[in-house]
Amino acid sequence: MNNQGRVTRIAGTGAAAETYTGNRALMLEEPLLFERGAVDRSGVDLEPVPVVQDRLGGLARTAPIDLPGLSEPETVRHYTRLSRQNYAIDLGIFPLGSCTMKHNPRLNEKMARLPGFADIHPLQPQQTVQGALELIDTLAHWLKTLTGMPEVSMSPKAGAHGELCGMLAIRAALEARGDARKVVLVPESAHGTNPATAAFCGYAVENIPANARGRVDVDALLARLGPDVAAVMITNPNTCGLFEPDMIRICAAVHAAGGFVYCDGANFNAIVGRVRPGDLGIDAMHINLHKTFSTPHGGGGPGSGPVVFSAALAPFAPLPFVQKTKNGLQLVEEAEAHESKAHDHSFGRMVAFHGQMGMFVRALSYMMSHGADGLRQVAEDAVLNANYILASLKDIYTAPFAATGPCMHEALFSDDFLDGTGLTTLDLAKALIDEGFHPMTMYFPLVVHGAMLVEPTETESKASLDQLIGAMRSVAERMLADPDAWHSSPHLAPRRRLDETAAARKPVLSYKVPAAA
Ligand SMILES: *Cc1c(COP(=O)(O)O)cnc(C)c1O
């Protein structure tokens, strides 16, 4: 907490501000592997290749492969240096709203590495993996209990995959009753994956506006219901970090109009132990195990998005599922092969095997180490931490919905307070990098201008929140006092401002040896 409360000059002056190596103190600059190595070099001594008869039928490569050769220590250093330039939840607070970057307990990792879970194969005979099946079944039991829903499908491998699963079940249920509804309603405050999922399933997507309080405009939604509406997809808590309070009314109206309600429950972490979505009337909801039950989400690491179903949708849920029989647990992989009537109209499979085993183990470890009271406290502390940030910054940052009451697990700000300075959310986020913080989620949700979505999660202490708040205040104050100084941050990071649009639109995915000068 060294710099708290004062601004410290870090960079040197004049010639001393530069280095011969390009390194910054012990943070080392690192070129590409191709620039460091050389194609005519090798890290190992290979025997000369014996002359053998070529059986490649003329398909042998004739041009050099152009892979760089490096010694083992050079290779190890390359990747270690790169890894040090990577920001991680194990280094500091990661306030990415909507991503729930909470600490991942080491106990989870230890459990996930137990050979009985980590070293098994999905094609092993089922009698030899009864423990793993029992773990899946136990986790399924707790997911049903926590959500108050009668059925769950464990196999979807991420939140968006879970949405697809839920919407395919809704489509199957409508098809089964010969109902050709073609429209899915998606509020503006929904996560971007929701309209994408509905469109992927062949539905026409219609937007429902948000009201001035950042919630779905219920009157507009109810007015749009009718015989062409297949489903409504609602994110709750929504992407403004706000609870949708009218779910019971919405669900009743959608059901009365013959549609289904899909709830995006990726952010179940904000309400777990406090609200059971089944009590609200929801038909299908995915739970991001990787947000609610630990395992930070960034960087595309492993995810898992089980989907809970209402009784109306349960018969349409996908295969496989775990079933208790007199001979132990059985994984039902074909619709005809099971005794029960569960999933008897299954729409098929989502994945080749059973789901994301490592994530199941981590999630169950997290649940069991917290217990029911601990899980409820997870939600309470996540909400408390977000409100602490909102309350501590709303006098300087524009907080569009703060007047409507407390937020849930994330605090939403906009850059309206920078109006007239020529500075935006982007400049602020870049300045936070110099302060040693991974920026918050920017420009999402779209419903507010220059959005900054800060999600502290429950695993941050008051001291770490105070340091983030101090940095966010200080940067904002200094920006307002001297706007011109902030157009080129970050100054201390290994890379400055990159052309992110070009990187996304025209990615350079293969290395070309520069022509000899
Ligand atoms: C994270 C998130 C998703 C998508 O989850 P993935 O695991 O990234 O596919 C969907 N909806 C909401 C509200 C989310 O926060």
Side-chain angles (χ1 to χ4, degrees):
M1 310 279 124
N2 44 0
N3 294 334
Q4 209 169 315
R6 65 197 151 89
V7 176
T8 319
R9 180 139 211 98
I10 295 176
T13 48
E18 285 158 22
T19 58
Y20 165 76
T21 50
N23 297 334
R24 289 164 178 270
L26 300 180
M27 183 60 77
L28 304 184
E29 185 54 30
E30 184 60 14
L32 296 177
L33 197 59
F34 294 89
E35 292 162 350
R36 193 169 271 293
V39 289
D40 54 1
R41 226 188 280 156
S42 171
V44 285
D45 291 331
L46 294 170
E47 295 285 319
V49 183
V51 181
V52 291
Q53 198 201 332
D54 170 0
R55 296 197 187 136
L56 295 172
L59 293 173
R61 169 182 280 280
T62 52
I65 194 164
D66 283 347
L67 283 180
L70 294 95
S71 69
E72 181 172 317
E74 284 174 326
T75 312
V76 170
R77 284 179 180 164
H78 174 76
Y79 288 107
T80 307
R81 286 172 178 159
L82 289 186
S83 74
R84 284 175 29 131
Q85 294 186 357
N86 212 359
Y87 194 79
I89 189 69
D90 289 345
L91 285 172
I93 183 170
F94 216 127
L96 265 189
S98 190
C99 289
T100 316
M101 304 292 284
K102 64 169 104 172
H103 170 69
N104 187 39
R106 293 302 177 267
L107 178 68
N108 295 358
E109 298 304 313
K110 193 171 171 186
M111 294 301 116
R113 282 166 180 71
L114 290 175
F117 298 126
D119 295 348
I120 52 179
H121 191 280
L123 293 177
Q124 246 173 270
Q126 289 185 23
Q127 314 84 278
T128 67
V129 290
Q130 286 290 306
L133 292 179
E134 188 175 339
L135 183 133
I136 298 176
D137 195 49
T138 307
L139 178 61
H141 166 77
W142 287 117
L143 292 175
K144 289 186 280 191
T145 306
L146 287 167
T147 55
M149 305 278 277
E151 190 56 89
V152 62
S153 287
M154 299 299 290
S155 60
K157 294 204 176 185
H161 203 209
E163 288 172 35
L164 180 61
C165 172
M167 290 306 292
L168 288 175
I170 288 174
R171 193 174 78 180
L174 288 169
E175 278 168 5
R177 69 180 195 217
D179 199 332
R181 293 165 183 252
K182 273 274 137 269
V183 176
V184 169
L185 304 181
V186 180
E188 266 178 9
S189 56
H191 194 264
T193 47
N194 294 186
T197 299
F200 190 76
C201 293
Y203 290 106
V205 178
E206 284 184 29
N207 254 324
I208 299 295
N211 63 22
R213 305 179 69 244
R215 272 82 173 183
V216 51
D217 181 338
V218 180
D219 291 337
L221 182 112
L222 299 190
R224 180 57 191 86
L225 292 176
D228 58 338
V229 174
V232 178
M233 294 182 84
I234 299 189
T235 302
N236 199 15
N238 71 26
T239 57
C240 299
L242 303 172
F243 191 73
E244 293 286 356
D246 289 314
M247 291 304 292
I248 293 178
R249 201 173 135 217
I250 293 171
C251 291
V254 175
H255 291 156
F260 290 96
V261 178
Y262 186 87
C263 179
D264 182 333
N267 300 319
F268 191 48
N269 53 305
I271 56 173
V272 60
R274 299 290 312 226
V275 178
R276 298 193 316 162
D279 297 338
L280 305 178
I282 283 154
D283 291 295
M285 180 183 95
H286 72 268
I287 304 163
N288 283 28
L289 296 187
H290 49 286
K291 294 178 181 173
T292 302
F293 303 111
S294 71
T295 314
H297 172 72
S304 181
V307 181
V308 285
F309 289 107
S310 64
L313 283 184
F316 304 93
L319 302 166
F321 62 93
V322 175
Q323 170 181 272
K324 286 198 176 79
T325 72
K326 49 188 179 305
N327 300 321
L329 291 163
Q330 186 201 354
L331 194 72
V332 179
E333 308 219 48
E334 278 162 53
E336 303 76 41
H338 60 101
E339 307 158 3
S340 71
K341 281 268 169 262
H343 306 212
D344 51 353
H345 296 290
S346 171
F347 68 75
R349 305 183 70 108
M350 295 295 293
V351 295
F353 295 115
H354 326 347
Q356 207 80 292
M357 192 65 204
M359 291 300 302
F360 296 159
V361 182
R362 289 177 177 90
L364 189 64
S365 310
Y366 186 84
M367 285 182 183
M368 294 181 78
S369 51
H370 280 77
D373 54 338
L375 286 179
R376 169 191 277 251
Q377 198 181 337
V378 161
E380 291 170 350
D381 290 353
V383 171
L384 180 65
N385 278 358
N387 278 287
Y388 181 60
I389 290 183
L390 185 64
S392 304
L393 290 172
K394 68 179 180 190
D395 61 322
I396 177 159
Y397 283 68
T398 315
F401 304 118
T404 72
C407 60
M408 296 297 288
H409 56 301
E410 45 199 4
L412 177 62
F413 301 103
S414 85
D415 65 359
D416 287 353
F417 74 103
L418 292 172
D419 275 358
T421 60
L423 297 171
T424 63
T425 288
L426 182 75
D427 302 306
L428 204 143
K430 296 295 183 191
L432 279 178
I433 293 176
D434 275 344
E435 291 285 349
F437 292 104
H438 189 287
M440 66 290 272
T441 292
M442 305 186 293
Y443 299 105
F444 177 84
L446 305 176
V447 285
V448 306
H449 184 264
M452 291 173 244
L453 192 61
V454 186
E455 180 172 9
T457 83
E458 75 285 0
T459 51
E460 293 304 330
S461 64
K462 180 167 180 297
S464 81
L465 296 182
D466 282 337
Q467 202 190 26
L468 173 68
I469 291 164
M472 287 182 67
R473 276 200 91 78
S474 169
V475 168
E477 282 164 4
R478 283 180 284 146
M479 284 184 148
L480 293 171
D482 180 11
D484 291 344
W486 299 91
H487 290 286
S488 55
S489 305
H491 297 277
L492 304 173
R495 290 292 175 276
R496 304 283 303 282
R497 291 212 182 187
L498 306 178
D499 186 346
E500 288 165 23
T501 310
R505 298 271 159 81
K506 295 184 193 153
V508 180
L509 299 176
S510 62
Y511 180 75
K512 298 233 168 17
V513 184

